[in-house]
Amino acid sequence: MPETSPFEIIEGNNAAGLVLLADHATNRLPPEYGRLGLPQSAFARHIAYDIGVEPLVRRLAAQLGVPAVLSCFSRLLIDPNRGEDDPTLIMKISDGAIIPGNHPITPQEWENRLNRFHRPYHHAVSQTIAAVGAASGKAPLVISIHSYTPAWKGVPRPWHAAVLWDSDPRAVHPLIEALAASGDVLVGDNEPYDGALRGDTMFRHCMETGIAHALIEVRQDLIGDDSGVAEWDKRLGPILANLNARPELHEIRRYPSRTGPYAF
């Protein structure tokens, strides 16, 4: 029986110059991992995936006619939005849930998960960015889509959406301005998280290479059903199209990272 791919590439018009990413698109696990010792209910929670992101990215890719790369494994198995040396790459506990299948874990199994899931996903991201760059004749714009819980440890999160970033402001500032322009969206600027995370997807594929980018977070209760996904697809699609039309977002410019010097 063939092994399920750790990623999915949605084909699009590479010449358009835009790439969409969904690091935490699904809550799936290969059969041999069972449920990592967790109850089935854990896989409906944010600890397993970013709720609402998969259908939103599929809609955006179709609306804009651009390629997207989606992970096809749960972040509980290994987190594609972490560097290989990040201690939270394979979580032992997540938001109060102990993950028996991740502790103890042998060095061999750690490497196995990198080789089977994490590295192939990032290779697909690299290849897609390269293909878009070659077809468009310019540096791509990369947009990563995530979602976050409406509250954390009992504290409500008021932002409807957020833009996370390190130090490259090119896509970020116009994106925040466009999201806020309607007057009905409270936008977090590096809230509820700071976007400077060494080794994560944006660091690896964009900060290190000088590609303009942004990470958009949408609150999960706003995209938890079809009507919410449709609303945010309608909201984000024109914004991303307008961003992609800006020439300055298709130039290579390398900014120093707030996480420290690059390794090269």
Side-chain angles (χ1 to χ4, degrees):
M1 181 176 177
E3 185 173 292
T4 303
S5 174
F7 61 86
E8 177 185 351
I9 297 175
I10 298 174
E11 301 295 338
N13 177 17
N14 288 351
L18 176 62
V19 178
L20 302 179
L21 302 179
D23 294 330
H24 300 142
T26 71
N27 58 2
R28 296 197 291 271
L29 290 176
E32 64 268 29
Y33 286 96
R35 296 196 300 261
L36 292 172
L38 291 165
Q40 186 60 45
S41 59
F43 291 87
R45 297 181 57 201
H46 71 98
I47 62 172
Y49 72 123
D50 278 353
I51 293 165
V53 161
E54 180 182 4
L56 178 57
V57 170
R58 290 188 185 280
R59 279 179 172 263
L60 286 168
Q63 178 188 166
L64 296 166
V66 300
V69 186
L70 293 76
S71 72
C72 293
F73 54 92
S74 172
R75 67 196 303 177
L76 290 170
L77 187 68
I78 188 168
D79 193 333
N81 196 35
R82 295 292 184 272
E84 291 194 11
D85 58 352
D86 192 309
T88 65
L89 180 67
I90 299 176
M91 295 286 282
K92 301 180 181 70
I93 183 168
S94 181
D95 194 13
I98 296 170
I99 307 162
N102 290 350
H103 182 70
I105 185 170
T106 65
Q108 292 78 14
E109 175 57 18
W110 190 285
E111 189 70 13
N112 176 55
R113 294 189 196 183
L114 280 168
N115 285 330
R116 285 184 60 190
F117 307 104
H118 193 277
R119 288 170 181 155
Y121 172 73
H122 283 284
H123 180 70
V125 171
S126 294
Q127 293 296 102
T128 302
I129 290 173
V132 169
S136 65
K138 57 191 177 184
L141 170 64
V142 177
I143 301 293
S144 183
I145 309 290
H146 290 250
S147 67
Y148 59 91
T149 57
W152 182 251
K153 300 189 184 300
V155 179
R157 289 167 161 168
W159 311 280
H160 301 97
V163 180
L164 308 189
W165 58 296
D166 186 338
S167 62
D168 183 346
R170 289 176 291 166
V172 170
H173 290 165
L175 177 54
I176 291 174
E177 182 179 342
L179 283 167
S182 63
D184 61 347
V185 175
L186 181 60
V187 185
D189 181 350
N190 271 334
E191 296 283 359
Y193 316 112
D194 189 328
L197 180 60
R198 192 169 191 86
D200 73 354
T201 302
M202 295 290 89
F203 180 93
R204 176 173 179 170
H205 297 283
C206 300
M207 285 299 294
E208 287 191 326
T209 60
I211 290 174
H213 61 283
L215 189 155
I216 301 172
E217 293 262 8
V218 183
R219 210 172 65 200
Q220 288 171 357
D221 58 316
L222 302 178
I223 53 172
D225 56 27
D226 289 342
S227 62
V229 169
E231 179 182 340
W232 277 86
D233 171 51
K234 184 178 178 181
R235 185 188 298 272
L236 286 173
I239 291 174
L240 296 183
N242 288 335
L243 276 182
N244 194 46
R246 299 172 73 115
E248 69 272 21
L249 301 188
H250 295 285
E251 300 172 358
I252 296 294
R253 295 186 200 168
R254 206 151 164 261
Y255 290 75
S257 172
R258 291 189 283 116
T259 67
Y262 296 113
F264 49 86

